[in-house]
């Protein structure tokens, strides 16, 4: 099950790279080597790509048609290989395309009329004002930051704790069950989370705290925490699993208890992976749209208490792009916000990736 | 300066100390300890200090002053009292082996000045069974239990609220769930009727996005696992996959909108054929396909990586090319693993709202109730409804929607997604159980 189905990466994060580079190298040498050109079960289409060689054995009964068929299949195979290559490169293509098309829509105001100082320092977000539209996104950024921060405050301890529990303290059926539950938790759509925040947690919070509105920073934070915890748990668990067993055995031989192993050995050894887990959780929380759109109250303001409603960058795009005039300034400013989000997620993912690669390099040495 | 007196105090079964003989010097008192016969099982004591079954103390007092005893002994040593031998330093971690060793040790300590009892101070010597758990070990075990409980509580904190919420949703939505709820279109500004139109819309969106994403994703996985060498290009592709998975869903939506605008411009200015030029089902499906591509790529890769290298080697030795090997050996052996990834993509695509919100899904479309058009209500270039979008609409945009309809829709959506996911998990578990290699 090593690297197999058991640890399917449910978030498409792909941090855990299958270890087969050496295998692949073998494959290279093997397939480029001088294979004797044999036909398998007499089928001509099984001849290799580079078959037009003088010393290739004659295909029995090879007439014109047969040679034609073989030629066609070789061309087809080259075509297939190129299709596969293109598909492999498609991920790069799409990332660039996303950047390009979002930039293309946002560029006219980004390099033109948008006052970047106002954008980053003003809290006046009045895009539809007839007198003087203003595009100060500070309150939105603070909104995103505060709700993400709150979510991380709740999610990181719980997520890492759960990762440690799953990885170190339980086994067998319990472990499998917990992992499946976490997977299912990750699968719940964000709009359902938003609905839960709006219809269940909001009213509950109003009853408990006497807040004026149920949808606010706290509700959004709790919902986001529940949404980003699965990422933290699964990446964190991978990080703990990547610590060699010899570390645990050495600690056990010195008389350490399991708790001592966890916080004296595993935490220091896996700290990069755990940091990456947290970062990916942050990435998920920053980029979340529907849940925060529905559960944070949608008020452009800097929050001063946990029970203040807020609005985030993502929610602003989702709520306003539909109504904004196509090609207008407001419309393009929303694309600039999108660009900002893209940049944030890019940096977060890149950092997480570099950190993880860092551990892999160390553990190999 | 009054003379100091040293008094041996023996432990009584009830826990108090019984002062015994008095000596003029510490060494004499220590030597007199050899008369001690430690009790192995003393019930009253074991509750106080779990590692010690018996104790003896040396009390120090001035000759002419009444002995006042402090609450805590100044020094405390541990000895394995019932064995002979040598070694140890009397500490908690390494007790003296044998009484004789303890006496020698105490005398030695006193002579070297490391041990100086003053008036009113006490020295305690604890007897411990050789294989008894020490206090340190007990502390450790306690810490471990606490840690385990705390971690378990954290894991449960994830499970419990989710179960509670699911049950709550189900209870609230139960009155709405009937066959007609599934088969009727929304009526009366979405306040009545069922969810047929959004359900069909979600089906179409997911199906088309699957048609687009599955071939590209699977081939990309094949490329990464079978063709790519370990070089900078592969590293960049990996990074791109990770980033594509991490891009916020709303940015995918912006990407979709940007492409629509670009196509519309192409069409308007140059008259070139474009797949779509306005918000429509196809545009939304394409956006979903791009968004879910990394899911398929990653799981395909993992499925392929689990096929043993020897299978491929055997096939190459038969003279097959790389593509023939992939087609006849690698793909058939990993097809079910790939399938779990594809199923996962379906659940991801069915639940997403933000990307389709701006690229093709709308609040409401008039949909025919009867005839074959009820089953194919949307063309590729029509706007469509979707279940996730419908839930968003009826819970935030439309007033006076009966509560059970909202909860019913949420239950159907979550049920759909979880069912698809469970199918994927079940398939995975089944495969692992019957794996041949």
């Amino acid at each position: 099950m090593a690297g197999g189905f058991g640890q399917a990466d449910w978030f498409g994060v792909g941090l855990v790279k299958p270890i087969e580079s050496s295998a692949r190298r073998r494959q290279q040498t093997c397939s480029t080597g001088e294979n004797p050109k044999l036909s398998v079960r007499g089928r001509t289409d099984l001849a290799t790509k580079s078959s037009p060689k003088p010393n290739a054995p004659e295909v029995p009964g090879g007439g014109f048609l047969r040679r034609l068929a073989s030629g066609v299949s070789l061309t087809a195979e080259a075509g297939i290989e190129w299709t596969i290559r293109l598909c492999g490169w498609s991920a790069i293509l799409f990332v660039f395309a996303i950047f390009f098309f979002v930039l293309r829509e946002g560029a006219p105001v980004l390099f033109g009329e948008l006052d970047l100082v106002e954008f980053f320092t003003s809290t006046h977000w009045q895009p539809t004002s007839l007198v003087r539209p203003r595009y100060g996104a500070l309150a939105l950024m603070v909104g995103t930051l505060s709700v993400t921060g709150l979510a991380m405050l709740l999610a990181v301890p719980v997520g890492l704790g759960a990762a440690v529990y799953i990885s170190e303290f339980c086994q067998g059926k319990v472990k499998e069950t917990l992992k499946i539950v976490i997977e299912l938790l990750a699968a719940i759509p964000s709009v359902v989370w938003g609905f839960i925040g709006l219809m269940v947690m909001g009213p509950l919070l109003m009853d408990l705290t006497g807040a004026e509105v149920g949808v606010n920073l706290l509700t959004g934070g709790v919902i986001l925490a529940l949404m980003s915890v699965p990422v933290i748990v699964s990446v964190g668990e991978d990080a703990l699993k990547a610590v060699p067993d010899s570390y645990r055995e050495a600690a056990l031989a010195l008389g350490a208890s399991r708790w001592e192993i966890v916080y004296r050995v595993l935490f220091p050894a896996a700290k990069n992976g755990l940091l990456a887990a947290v970062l990916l959780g942050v990435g998920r929380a920053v980029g979340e749209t529907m849940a925060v759109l529905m559960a944070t109250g949608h008020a452009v303001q800097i929050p001063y208490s946990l029970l203040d409603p807020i609005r985030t960058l993502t929610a602003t795009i989702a709520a306003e792009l539909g109504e904004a005039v196509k090609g207008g300034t407001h419309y393009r400013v929303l694309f600039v916000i999108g660009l900002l989000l893209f940049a944030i997620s890019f940096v977060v993912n890149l950092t997480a990736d570099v950190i993880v690669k860092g551990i892999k390099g160390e553990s190999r040495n | 300066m009054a003379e100091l007196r040293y008094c041996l105090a023996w432990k009584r079964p009830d826990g108090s100390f019984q002062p015994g003989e008095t000596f003029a010097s510490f060494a004499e008192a220590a030597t007199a300890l050899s008369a001690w016969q430690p009790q192995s099982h003393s019930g009253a004591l074991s509750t106080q200090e779990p590692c010690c079954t018996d104790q003896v103390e040396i009390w120090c007092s001035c000759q002419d002053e009444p002995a006042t005893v402090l609450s805590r002994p100044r020094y405390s040593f541990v000895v394995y009292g019932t064995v002979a031998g040598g070694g140890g330093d009397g500490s908690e971690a390494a007790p003296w082996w044998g009484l004789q060793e303890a006496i020698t040790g105490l005398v030695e300590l006193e002579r070297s000045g490391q041990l100086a009892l003053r008036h009113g101070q006490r020295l305690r010597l604890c007897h411990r069974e050789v294989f008894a758990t020490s206090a340190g070990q007990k502390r450790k075990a306690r810490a471990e239990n606490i840690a385990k409980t705390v971690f378990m509580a954290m894991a449960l904190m994830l499970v419990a609220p989710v179960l509670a919420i699911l049950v709550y949703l189900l209870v609230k939505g139960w009155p709405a769930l009937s066959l007609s709820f599934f088969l009727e279109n929304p009526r009366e500004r979405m306040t009545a009727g069922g969810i047929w139109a959004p359900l069909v819309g979600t089906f179409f969106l997911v199906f088309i996005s699957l048609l687009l994403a599955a071939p590209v994703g699977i081939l990309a996985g094949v490329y990464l696992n079978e063709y790519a060498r370990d070089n900078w290009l592969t590293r960049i592709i990996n990074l791109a996959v990770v980033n594509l998975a991490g891009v916020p869903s709303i940015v995918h939506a912006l990407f979709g909108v940007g492409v629509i605008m670009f196509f519309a411009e192409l069409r308007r200015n140059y008259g070139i054929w474009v797949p779509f030029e306005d918000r429509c089902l196809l545009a939304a499906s394409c956006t979903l396909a791009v968004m879910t591509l990394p899911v398929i790529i990653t799981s395909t890769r993992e499925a392929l990586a689990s096929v043993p290298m020897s299978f491929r080697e055997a096939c190459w030795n038969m003279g097959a090319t790389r593509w023939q090997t992939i087609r006849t050996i690698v793909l058939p052996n990993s097809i079910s693993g790939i399938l779990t990834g594809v199923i996962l993509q379906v659940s991801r695509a069915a639940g997403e709202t933000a990307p389709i919100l701006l690229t093709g899904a709308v609040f409401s479309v008039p949909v025919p109730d009867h005839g074959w058009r009820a089953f194919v209500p949307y063309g590729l270039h029509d706007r469509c409804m979707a279940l996730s979008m419908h839930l968003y609409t009826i819970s935030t945009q439309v007033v006076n929607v009966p509560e059970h309809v909202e909860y019913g829709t949420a239950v159907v959506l979550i049920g759909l997604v979880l069912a698809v996911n469970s199918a994927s998990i079940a398939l995975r578990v089944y495969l692992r159980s019957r794996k041949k290699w």
Side-chain angles (χ1 to χ4, degrees):
Chain A
M1 77 160 262
F5 313 122
Q7 274 315 110
D9 199 325
W10 299 98
F11 309 100
V13 171
L15 281 172
V16 185
K17 214 170 105 188
I19 312 143
E20 85 284 14
S21 58
S22 64
R24 204 178 282 136
R25 240 175 282 126
R26 263 187 290 148
Q27 170 185 346
Q28 300 295 335
T29 53
C30 190
S31 59
T32 52
E34 291 294 302
N35 293 353
K37 306 296 175 292
L38 299 169
S39 80
V40 178
R41 281 185 251 126
R43 283 168 59 188
T44 47
D45 64 347
L46 283 177
T48 54
K49 206 167 99 185
S50 51
S51 79
K53 272 187 183 172
N55 60 348
E58 281 297 315
V59 179
F64 170 73
L65 276 178
R66 202 151 253 240
R67 246 177 263 160
L68 184 72
S70 149
V72 166
S73 80
L74 285 180
T75 326
E77 177 152 345
I80 287 166
E81 293 211 339
W82 273 104
T83 317
I84 290 177
R85 286 221 164 77
L86 285 181
C87 288
W89 299 334
S90 66
I92 305 182
L93 178 80
F94 283 126
V95 170
F96 273 107
I98 290 172
F99 180 72
F100 172 75
F101 281 108
V102 176
L103 183 66
R104 186 175 167 273
E105 295 296 313
V109 297
L110 181 59
F111 305 113
E113 54 191 297
L114 180 65
D115 183 357
L116 279 179
V117 176
E118 189 191 33
F119 184 75
F120 282 108
T121 58
S122 163
T123 59
H124 292 280
W125 179 258
Q126 292 148 352
T128 50
S129 162
L130 292 174
V131 188
R132 180 171 174 264
R134 296 177 73 177
Y135 303 102
L138 183 65
L140 307 179
M141 292 177 209
V142 172
T144 291
L145 219 79
S146 56
V147 80
T148 306
L150 180 63
M152 285 304 116
L153 270 184
L154 299 171
V156 167
V158 175
L160 293 186
V164 168
Y165 184 72
I166 291 176
S167 165
E168 304 298 321
F169 285 93
C170 66
Q171 58 252 61
K173 282 255 171 359
V174 180
K175 187 170 181 167
E176 288 300 309
T177 316
L178 275 176
K179 282 168 90 165
I180 286 175
V181 169
I182 303 255
E183 263 172 39
L184 292 181
L185 187 62
I188 297 178
S190 63
V191 67
V192 172
W193 280 119
F195 180 78
I196 292 166
L198 187 71
M199 305 290 289
V200 184
M201 288 190 51
L204 196 67
L205 204 67
M206 274 160 79
D207 285 349
L208 289 179
T209 63
E212 288 164 21
V213 280
V215 279
N216 52 31
L217 178 57
L218 186 59
T219 312
V222 172
I223 292 287
L224 269 193
L226 281 170
M227 293 185 72
S228 46
V229 142
V231 187
I232 299 181
V233 174
S234 85
V235 180
E237 201 223 326
D238 281 348
L240 291 174
K241 212 167 56 185
V243 177
D245 272 345
S246 56
Y247 285 30
R248 294 183 183 83
E249 284 154 12
L252 273 176
L254 290 173
S257 68
R258 263 191 298 183
W259 160 240
E260 282 168 335
I261 294 177
V262 166
Y263 95 108
R264 294 267 176 83
V265 178
L266 293 184
F267 278 171
K271 68 173 185 299
N272 284 349
L274 297 176
L275 191 63
V278 172
L279 273 178
L280 288 170
V282 169
R284 169 117 195 196
V286 168
E288 186 42 54
T289 312
M290 292 318 285
V292 290
L293 177 64
M294 293 165 81
T296 55
H298 220 60
V300 185
Q301 61 174 18
I302 291 185
Y304 291 102
S305 86
L306 280 180
L307 300 175
D308 281 347
I310 54 152
R311 198 204 278 193
T312 65
L313 294 167
T314 48
T316 305
I317 303 178
E320 293 182 359
L321 195 74
E323 281 103 61
V325 183
K326 271 186 190 164
T329 312
H330 180 201
Y331 175 83
R332 296 198 185 284
V333 169
L334 292 177
F335 274 87
V336 174
I337 295 180
L339 216 53
L340 182 67
L341 284 171
F342 181 82
I344 294 173
S345 82
F346 194 80
V347 169
V348 166
N349 283 302
L350 204 66
T351 318
D353 196 64
V354 166
I355 288 174
V356 168
K357 292 280 152 60
I359 352 169
K360 289 207 168 147
E362 275 166 35
S363 64
R364 209 177 293 139
N365 293 339
Chain B
M1 179 75 194
E3 283 282 302
L4 286 175
R5 290 286 171 211
Y6 298 91
C7 167
L8 275 186
W10 309 95
K11 190 105 181 177
R12 280 190 300 225
D14 63 353
S16 63
F17 284 91
Q18 161 88 59
E21 305 163 70
T22 307
F23 302 93
S25 78
F26 182 81
E28 279 175 42
T31 316
L33 276 175
S34 58
W36 186 31
Q37 289 195 335
Q39 299 291 309
S40 292
H41 302 287
S42 171
L45 284 172
S46 60
T47 53
Q48 286 175 339
E49 280 193 41
C51 62
C52 291
T53 55
D54 200 0
Q55 292 168 345
V56 66
E57 295 193 346
I58 298 177
W59 292 0
C60 174
S61 59
C62 286
Q63 200 174 19
D64 44 1
E65 283 180 46
T68 51
V69 177
L70 291 173
S71 59
R72 285 177 59 82
R74 170 107 196 263
Y75 304 100
S76 185
F77 294 98
V78 185
V79 58
Y80 293 129
T82 50
V83 294
D89 57 6
S91 66
E92 187 74 46
W96 281 306
W97 282 87
L99 214 48
Q100 212 49 55
E101 183 75 19
I103 291 163
T104 329
L106 281 178
V107 171
E108 192 66 30
L109 282 174
E110 208 265 341
R111 209 179 52 214
S112 64
Q114 292 179 48
L115 204 159
L117 285 175
R118 277 193 289 279
H119 172 66
Q121 292 178 336
R122 308 187 277 162
L123 178 148
R124 174 178 290 178
L125 191 60
C126 297
H127 160 70
R128 184 194 292 170
E129 293 295 306
V130 176
F131 291 109
T133 329
S134 72
Q137 282 167 321
K138 282 270 160 77
R139 265 200 304 277
K140 240 176 173 175
R142 202 160 52 231
E144 171 142 349
N145 277 335
I146 291 172
K148 189 172 175 177
T149 318
V150 167
F151 286 136
M152 188 162 70
M154 282 170 166
L156 286 182
M157 265 166 83
L158 299 182
V159 180
V162 174
L163 286 183
I165 285 169
L166 286 185
V167 170
Y168 182 77
L169 286 185
L170 201 60
V171 168
K172 285 282 220 172
W174 190 253
L177 296 177
S178 64
L179 195 62
S180 64
F181 183 66
F182 286 93
L183 294 181
E184 277 177 25
N185 285 326
R187 279 180 284 118
E188 292 160 37
R189 299 184 56 77
M190 299 191 186
T191 54
I195 51 166
W196 174 251
L199 205 59
V200 174
T202 291
F203 176 76
F204 275 89
L205 281 169
V206 169
F207 185 68
I208 297 172
S209 73
L210 184 63
L211 280 188
L212 296 168
V216 177
I218 291 174
L219 289 184
V222 168
Y223 174 79
L224 284 174
N225 199 58
E226 306 289 325
Y227 284 85
R229 289 150 214 232
D230 199 5
N231 58 13
W232 59 270
L233 180 65
T234 311
R235 242 166 281 152
I236 290 182
I237 294 177
N238 283 327
L239 208 59
V241 172
V242 171
N243 266 302
L244 201 57
V247 168
S249 55
I250 193 70
V251 176
H252 280 285
L254 289 180
F255 166 58
V257 174
V259 173
I260 291 173
M261 297 296 280
F262 178 68
F263 279 174
E265 246 170 66
L266 279 185
R267 172 79 186 206
R268 206 169 48 241
N269 298 344
Y270 307 102
I272 301 172
W273 179 86
V274 288
F276 47 82
E277 50 185 319
D278 197 5
R279 294 162 59 175
C280 65
L281 178 60
L282 186 59
S285 302
C286 290
T287 314
L288 279 184
V290 172
M291 183 168 178
T292 50
L293 195 60
V295 179
I296 299 191
I297 295 181
T298 318
S299 53
T300 303
R301 253 180 94 160
E302 277 170 11
L304 294 181
S306 72
V307 176
M309 204 60 208
S310 55
F311 283 30
R312 296 185 186 91
E313 282 160 358
C315 193
W316 290 327
N317 286 346
M318 301 295 285
T321 61
R322 212 185 290 180
W323 168 244
Q324 283 159 353
T325 312
I326 292 166
R327 200 191 61 199
T328 56
I329 300 295
V330 180
L331 284 182
N333 274 311
S334 59
I335 189 70
S336 18
I338 297 173
L339 210 60
T340 59
V342 169
I343 297 175
L344 209 62
Q345 187 269 357
V346 167
S347 102
R348 235 355 232 295
E352 277 301 337
T353 316
I356 58 173
L357 177 71
L358 303 171
T359 54
V362 283
F363 290 169
S364 172
V365 194
V367 178
D369 280 322
H370 300 289
W372 67 273
R373 287 290 290 175
F375 292 92
V376 194
Y378 316 106
L380 281 183
H381 292 96
D382 291 338
R383 297 183 182 189
C384 64
M385 295 174 81
L387 201 55
S388 50
M389 180 79 184
H390 188 65
L391 177 60
Y392 170 64
T393 313
I394 59 174
S395 58
T396 61
Q397 312 284 317
V398 187
V399 288
N400 294 332
V401 181
E403 211 177 46
H404 67 266
V405 172
E406 294 178 340
Y407 281 99
T409 312
V411 167
V412 172
L413 180 60
I414 209 170
L416 199 70
V417 169
L418 290 190
V420 170
N421 245 282
S422 311
S424 159
I425 293 170
L427 181 62
R428 199 179 69 212
V429 171
Y430 171 69
L431 286 175
R432 209 189 301 157
S433 70
R434 60 172 293 244
K435 207 151 153 189
K436 283 170 293 200
W437 56 86

